[in-house]
């Protein structure tokens, strides 16, 4: 139960940072309106670093939970409970971000495009090509999870893991995030997407569940399998 609470709380905090920074960038009357993608990606990156410093070796990601189960780091019996806790945490984090920025959502009702408001919560490509979008998310997730596991195997004893994971997220976001928004995590996308569906936000855009369920919903799992195979058979890492 303590591990499940860690997954719930850490994922919720990650989403609070992530959805919060997109609120800052997009919504009217915030202190950091229009701050741009570098500001957003940096906040995501070091928000994840903060979560790891606080909660330790959490997954915060169903794809990471799958990868760790394949490698024997966590038991298979933990995979579904971890995934559910992460989805619940992501949903709760998005609701909390909305509560904190509710006045700014109201101030933006008639001036901010509905798609831009939706994209505060979920990832979506500017150029929609589902096969390519799926491959992008799979490749990014493979790099992401392989990088984290390599960091843990080589640098955990020095205590650098949270900072190095943040730098990895920053690099992936800057180099690979311009196509799909680099979800790499089902909970990160689908939990906040569901929150957007039910929140009392006016002038909503279509929530695009087709994209959400197909691309960020499945591609990270494929990336998790590839990452597990890469670190086990090529890098030959042990945990």
């Amino acid at each position: 139960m303590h591990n499940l609470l860690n997954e719930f709380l850490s994922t919720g905090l990650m989403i609070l940072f992530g959805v919060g920074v997109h609120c800052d960038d997009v919504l009217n009357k915030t202190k950091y309106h229009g701050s741009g993608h570098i500001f957003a990606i940096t906040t995501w990156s070091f928000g994840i670093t903060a979560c790891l410093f606080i909660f330790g070796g959490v997954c915060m990601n169903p794809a990471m939970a799958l990868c760790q189960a394949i490698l024997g780091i966590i038991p298979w019996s933990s995979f579904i409970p971890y995934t559910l806790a992460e989805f619940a945490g992501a949903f709760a984090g998005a609701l909390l971000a909305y509560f904190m920025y509710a006045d700014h959502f109201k101030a933006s009702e008639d001036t901010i495009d509905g798609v831009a408001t939706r994209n505060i919560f979920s990832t979506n490509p500017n150029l929609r090509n589902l096969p390519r979008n799926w491959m992008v998310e799979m490749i990014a997730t493979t790099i992401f999870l392989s990088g984290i596991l390599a960091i843990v195997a080589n640098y955990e004893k020095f205590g650098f893991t949270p900072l190095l994971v943040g730098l990895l997220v920053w690099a992936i976001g800057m180099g690979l995030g311009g196509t799909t928004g680099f979800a790499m995590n089902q909970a990160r996308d689908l939990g906040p997407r569901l929150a957007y569906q039910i929140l009392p936000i006016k002038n909503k855009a279509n929530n695009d569940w087709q994209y959400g369920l197909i691309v960020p919903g499945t591609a990270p799992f494929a990336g998790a399998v590839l990452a597990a195979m890469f670190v086990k058979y090529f890098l030959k890492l042990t945990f």
Side-chain angles (χ1 to χ4, degrees), residues 1 46 78 97 100 119 125 131 145 178 197 225:
M1 182 58 67
F46 291 103
S78 295
M100 294 174 71
N119 290 350
L145 300 185
Q197 186 79 41
V225 174

Side-chain angles (χ1 to χ4, degrees), residues 64-221:
M64 176 56 90
L66 175 62
C67 190
Q68 291 193 16
I70 293 170
L71 293 170
I73 300 171
I74 64 171
W76 276 103
S77 60
S78 295
F79 169 61
I80 291 177
Y82 276 30
T83 295
L84 294 176
E86 289 152 4
F87 272 105
F91 179 75
L95 294 181
L96 183 56
Y98 172 79
F99 171 78
M100 294 174 71
Y101 285 90
D103 293 334
H104 302 279
F105 275 99
K106 186 173 180 59
S108 304
E109 286 175 356
D110 299 319
T111 58
I112 302 297
D113 178 72
V115 172
T117 304
R118 179 194 68 194
N119 290 350
I120 289 172
F121 295 88
S122 58
T123 64
N124 286 276
N126 287 343
L127 295 175
R128 187 186 183 91
N129 179 335
L130 289 182
R132 194 183 307 278
N133 300 151
W134 193 93
M135 290 295 295
V136 166
E137 281 293 325
M138 181 192 70
I139 293 167
T141 305
T142 303
I143 296 169
F144 179 47
L145 300 185
S146 298
I148 292 174
L149 291 168
I151 288 167
V152 170
N154 293 309
Y155 297 102
E156 180 73 15
K157 60 182 176 290
F158 301 111
F160 296 156
T161 295
L163 180 59
L164 293 177
V165 170
L167 291 173
L168 176 64
V169 174
W170 197 87
I172 291 173
M174 294 298 291
L176 306 178
T179 52
T180 61
F182 74 115
M184 306 185 298
N185 181 338
Q186 294 88 345
R188 175 267 172 273
D189 184 278
L190 298 177
R193 194 182 293 265
L194 178 60
Y196 174 78
Q197 186 79 41
I198 69 167
L199 283 168
I201 298 171
K202 292 187 178 179
N203 305 317
K204 287 184 180 179
N206 181 285
N207 211 3
D208 201 357
W209 282 105
Q210 181 192 45
Y211 177 84
L213 292 172
I214 292 174
V215 178
T218 66
F221 280 145

Side-chain angles (χ1 to χ4, degrees), residues 6-7 9-11 13-14 17 44-61 64 68 144 148 151-152 156 159-169:
N6 272 348
E7 293 294 338
L9 293 170
S10 61
T11 308
L13 181 59
M14 174 182 68
F17 281 124
W44 270 105
S45 302
F46 291 103
I48 290 173
T49 291
C51 293
L52 292 174
F53 273 126
I54 295 168
F55 295 101
V58 287
C59 293
M60 297 190 293
N61 183 343
M64 176 56 90
Q68 291 193 16
F144 179 47
I148 292 174
I151 288 167
V152 170
E156 180 73 15
F160 296 156
T161 295
L163 180 59
L164 293 177
V165 170
L167 291 173
L168 176 64
V169 174

